[in-house]
Amino acid sequence: MTDSTTPRLDSGSHGRWMGLALAEARLALASADVPIGAVVVGPDGSVVGTGRNEREAHQDPTAHAEMVAIRQAARALGSWRLDGCTLVVTLEPCAMCAGAIVLARIPRVVFGAWDEKAGASGSVFDILRERRLNHWVEVYPGVREDECGALLRDFFAGHR
């Protein structure tokens, strides 16, 4: 699904971009939000959007890291179509975020930890690769999975 104008990130790039997403996730801790972070990498390899969970900060149920990063990237690129972009996120996207990824025409998603309760990118659902939809996404799971998972486990252990 890539063309000659869409650079394909290698696994080394995936890890570097995940480092940026993890930094965003840690920033969410300041507002007591679940530490999930995301970055959108543009077709030229530059970061065009960043986001972290802001549901508690803004009392907005749609303020997931992916949604924040996608909105920022669309503004930066001047288009809702994020062709050629890659979304990198610390946790497997949920159904809402997976739907937004499909609608934004993002061709690739890289994520860290699996979400066995609400994941929609291969665990509970697989919206990103649902053939009945009009857009399909390449999915690269498990990038820095242990680090992403530990951040979430530590957060939830402190809330029990």
Side-chain angles (χ1 to χ4, degrees):
M1 292 219 194
T2 59
D3 61 33
S4 61
T5 63
T6 304
R8 194 167 175 159
L9 300 177
D10 59 37
S11 60
S13 296
H14 292 174
R16 285 191 301 278
W17 298 128
M18 188 61 74
L20 297 174
L22 280 160
E24 283 293 320
R26 291 182 191 98
L27 292 174
L29 294 168
S31 60
D33 273 289
V34 177
I36 300 169
V39 296
V40 176
V41 179
D44 66 354
S46 65
V47 174
V48 294
T50 61
R52 59 185 166 272
N53 269 8
E54 297 180 349
R55 293 181 309 168
E56 297 297 332
H58 299 296
Q59 296 303 301
D60 179 355
T62 69
H64 288 202
E66 300 96 313
M67 302 294 283
V68 174
I70 288 168
R71 287 180 189 125
Q72 190 179 99
R75 284 191 301 270
L77 296 174
S79 175
W80 62 268
R81 290 179 184 265
L82 299 181
D83 297 322
C85 292
T86 300
L87 174 70
V88 181
V89 60
T90 58
L91 182 67
E92 178 185 5
C94 70
M96 174 184 68
C97 294
I101 292 162
V102 169
L103 292 172
R105 310 299 196 271
I106 296 172
R108 277 170 309 287
V109 169
V110 175
F111 70 83
W114 290 93
D115 185 346
E116 298 297 331
K117 293 182 180 178
S121 305
S123 62
V124 179
F125 303 105
D126 199 355
I127 293 170
L128 297 182
R129 293 175 285 203
E130 172 56 58
R131 290 293 175 200
R132 292 173 290 184
L133 297 175
N134 64 337
H135 176 73
W136 309 290
V137 180
E138 291 179 84
V139 177
Y140 299 90
V143 175
R144 295 176 69 169
E145 182 174 5
D146 291 340
E147 194 174 349
C148 294
L151 185 60
L152 290 163
R153 281 189 300 279
D154 292 348
F155 174 80
F156 286 114
H159 286 80
R160 292 192 171 109

